[in-house]
Amino acid sequence: MRICCIGAGYVGGPTMTMVARKCPDIRVDVVDVSAARIAAWNSDNLPVFEPNLDGLVREVRGKNLFFSTDIEECIDKADIVFISVNTPTKTYGYGAGSASDLSYVEACSRTIARASKTGKIVVEKSTMPVRTADVIKTILASSGRKFQVLSNPEFLAEGTAVRDLESPDRVLIGGDEDSEEGRRAIETLASVYARWVPEERIIKTNLWSSELSKLTANAFLAQRISSINAISALCEATGADVDQVAKAVGSDSRIGSSFLKSSVGYGGSCFQKDLLNLIYLCEHFNLPQVAQYWRGVVEMNAFQKKRFSSNVVEGLFRNISGKRLAIFGFAFKENTNDTRESPAIDICKDFLSEHAKLAFYDPKVSKAQICADLGIEENDPRVEFCDSPYAAAEGAHAIVLLTHWDEFKKLDYAKIRKSMTTPAWIFDGRNCLDHRLLIGLGFLVRGIGKGNLS
């Protein structure tokens, strides 16, 4: 068997690496139009950072895992072709601001139809709106060859992707359950995962249930984050502690503790995009009340980010013009270099609009990526990029912690305090530091959902 994956990004690269590792008899080709990205996958400096991923890639690369720009050749030789390309929210035309942009998916489908001399199993790996499979089927049917289209959404959490792939909660495969060919395709893909995933964790559904399940899962997770963040505002107003509230509420077995950690807001490639697409679908099917319900989750996330940046300005005497802010972390979460929809983007844009000077430190995010996200030049005099958190904090009026990197908990804050302008503030957007210790060192500290502790 040969597998080809179109798209060498955060999903395609790690997923296919695990397939190659677990299935040494299957050749896996990962292809992409970006020669630079493919070159990075073939180097010692991978374009995607995930703990333990580099070791896995080195173990199978060149044996049964190959990264290439020979897209059509790899497609033609494959038995199964995964589509793992970006499906961003549309920024123009019909559905702008909520619908998914399927132009990359359409382009992939046309390439598969053109390159394939025989029929194949085509697998949606990207997060797709419900009924996207119809688009893919229509394009593939024009080739005159027989294809089976499956939905196999990813449920990876960035920062733990290798662990999630090694031992997934579930593998979801949707296909045409009403035809013999469709059922055979489902079983073929299931047999690949069955090499290492217990049978009871492989869930088989129809196409539309699989597509909708992915959107719904991300919507539910985002809803929990926005719910606890809404309560964090009330905690600050009343003197309650959001972590204590979350622990009490999360101990209820009907609710559970997962995703009840208050912060500056959710980010990443999925939550915002999938929520917006869910809203678009609800509006399309004339369900305005349902659309408004989910829109409230998005609005709460925007409110949380704005509330945090406003608290920083308020704490610094309602004026941050010309003041140096040390930005600790820019990725949307720890253990990844992904900045897509990172709360840090909007928060730092707010700071720049107030004429602050920003000193950035993130152990994995590049200067070029930060500048691209903020829409600024790398030589912008308002920003500085530091090689350590100590350098970022030197002379700063405040530390603004936006990513829960473990190293931030281990810093010598007594040393940092002496290098900063007084009064020295720490705004902990992840509630990951020891606030009492910091107050004892002379910092003014504000967390999420904890009020003004100082």
Side-chain angles (χ1 to χ4, degrees):
M1 182 185 292
R2 287 185 62 154
I3 289 175
C4 174
C5 177
I6 307 174
Y10 283 90
V11 175
T15 301
M16 293 301 113
T17 298
M18 186 60 68
V19 171
R21 171 67 178 79
K22 296 296 185 178
C23 308
D25 58 317
I26 296 178
R27 173 172 171 138
V28 180
D29 292 287
V30 182
V31 298
D32 201 286
V33 296
S34 171
R37 177 173 289 180
I38 291 299
W41 278 109
N42 284 318
S43 73
D44 291 329
N45 186 23
L46 303 185
V48 171
F49 173 75
E50 283 287 337
N52 303 316
L53 177 61
D54 55 347
L56 284 180
V57 171
R58 284 195 297 269
E59 184 178 343
V60 293
R61 187 175 59 198
K63 296 178 181 177
N64 67 321
L65 175 66
F66 301 89
F67 297 94
S68 171
T69 55
D70 296 328
I71 298 175
E72 295 199 9
E73 180 182 353
C74 291
I75 289 173
D76 183 40
K77 293 181 178 178
D79 303 290
I80 302 175
V81 179
F82 285 81
I83 297 176
S84 186
V85 294
N86 197 15
T87 54
T89 302
K90 284 190 72 176
T91 59
Y92 60 91
Y94 183 74
S98 56
S100 290
D101 184 345
L102 298 180
S103 58
Y104 297 121
V105 175
E106 182 179 341
C108 282
S109 301
R110 293 186 185 281
T111 301
I112 294 169
R114 181 175 62 252
S116 300
K117 296 183 180 66
T118 59
K120 305 179 186 303
I121 297 173
V122 176
V123 184
E124 302 174 325
K125 196 63 181 173
S126 306
T127 300
M128 307 284 192
V130 184
R131 310 296 299 197
T132 300
D134 276 343
V135 175
I136 300 173
K137 285 181 176 180
T138 300
I139 294 173
L140 295 178
S142 66
S143 71
R145 287 171 282 279
K146 290 186 177 181
F147 292 87
Q148 284 295 321
V149 178
L150 303 180
S151 170
N152 175 219
E154 54 85 14
F155 294 100
L156 305 180
E158 289 176 74
T160 60
V162 171
R163 186 181 68 197
D164 297 338
L165 289 164
E166 181 90 39
S167 182
D169 291 335
R170 77 288 201 197
V171 171
L172 182 58
I173 301 173
D176 181 4
E177 296 180 307
D178 296 327
S179 72
E180 178 60 33
E181 295 84 355
R183 291 190 293 270
R184 191 181 306 121
I186 292 172
E187 292 303 324
T188 298
L189 182 57
S191 70
V192 174
Y193 287 107
R195 306 287 190 93
W196 78 96
V197 179
E199 184 178 354
E200 63 272 15
R201 295 189 189 179
I202 301 176
I203 302 172
K204 303 164 188 175
T205 72
N206 67 39
L207 266 171
W208 322 127
S209 295
S210 178
E211 289 180 336
L212 185 56
S213 293
K214 171 63 177 179
L215 294 182
T216 304
N218 282 339
F220 273 49
L221 294 174
Q223 178 196 47
R224 288 172 67 87
I225 295 172
S226 284
S227 294
I228 196 63
N229 281 341
I231 296 302
S232 75
L234 187 59
C235 287
E236 292 174 22
T238 61
D241 185 312
V242 72
D243 286 342
Q244 294 176 353
V245 172
K247 183 177 181 180
V249 173
S251 64
D252 188 326
S253 60
R254 299 166 299 175
I255 298 173
S257 59
S258 296
F259 283 76
L260 286 180
K261 181 67 175 175
S262 190
S263 69
V264 287
Y266 61 72
S269 63
C270 291
F271 285 175
Q272 185 81 350
K273 174 173 67 72
D274 290 355
L275 271 167
L276 292 172
N277 189 246
L278 192 62
I279 292 165
Y280 170 77
L281 288 170
C282 292
E283 291 173 340
H284 176 77
F285 289 105
N286 196 28
L287 299 168
Q289 293 86 356
V290 182
Q292 185 56 40
Y293 173 81
W294 289 110
R295 193 174 295 281
V297 177
V298 176
E299 292 171 349
M300 180 52 62
N301 194 54
F303 166 76
Q304 187 76 348
K305 291 184 287 187
K306 179 64 70 173
R307 195 170 70 85
F308 181 81
S309 59
S310 297
N311 281 341
V312 174
V313 176
E314 183 75 20
L316 295 176
F317 311 113
R318 302 181 183 176
N319 172 38
I320 59 172
S321 178
K323 293 180 179 177
R324 181 182 175 92
L325 305 182
I327 307 299
F328 279 17
F330 198 81
F332 86 92
K333 63 181 289 189
E334 69 275 18
N335 294 325
T336 180
N337 60 344
D338 195 353
T339 64
R340 287 175 291 180
E341 298 293 344
S342 174
I345 298 172
D346 287 336
I347 290 169
C348 289
K349 284 182 177 179
D350 285 347
F351 294 156
L352 290 174
S353 72
E354 294 283 343
H355 298 176
K357 293 186 177 297
L358 307 183
F360 291 97
Y361 172 75
D362 188 290
K364 294 297 177 180
V365 180
S366 69
K367 176 200 302 187
Q369 185 62 57
I370 294 173
C371 290
D373 287 333
L374 295 179
I376 61 176
E377 299 294 330
E378 292 189 21
N379 60 355
D380 193 307
R382 298 173 297 173
V383 299
E384 179 182 339
F385 299 92
C386 304
D387 58 7
S388 76
Y390 296 100
E394 188 171 354
H397 292 77
I399 293 170
V400 182
L401 191 152
L402 298 176
T403 308
H404 188 170
W405 286 103
D406 191 55
E407 68 178 270
F408 294 150
K409 295 186 288 186
K410 303 173 182 178
L411 299 176
D412 184 347
Y413 281 97
K415 174 182 175 181
I416 288 176
R417 170 68 182 79
K418 293 177 182 177
S419 73
M420 291 178 64
T421 299
T422 56
W425 275 92
I426 293 183
F427 295 90
D428 185 358
R430 298 291 175 173
N431 285 346
C432 64
L433 303 180
D434 186 335
H435 294 176
R436 294 298 174 190
L437 173 64
L438 295 172
I439 291 169
L441 292 174
F443 285 101
L444 300 175
V445 180
R446 183 169 293 179
I448 300 286
K450 295 178 180 291
N452 189 347
L453 302 176
S454 305

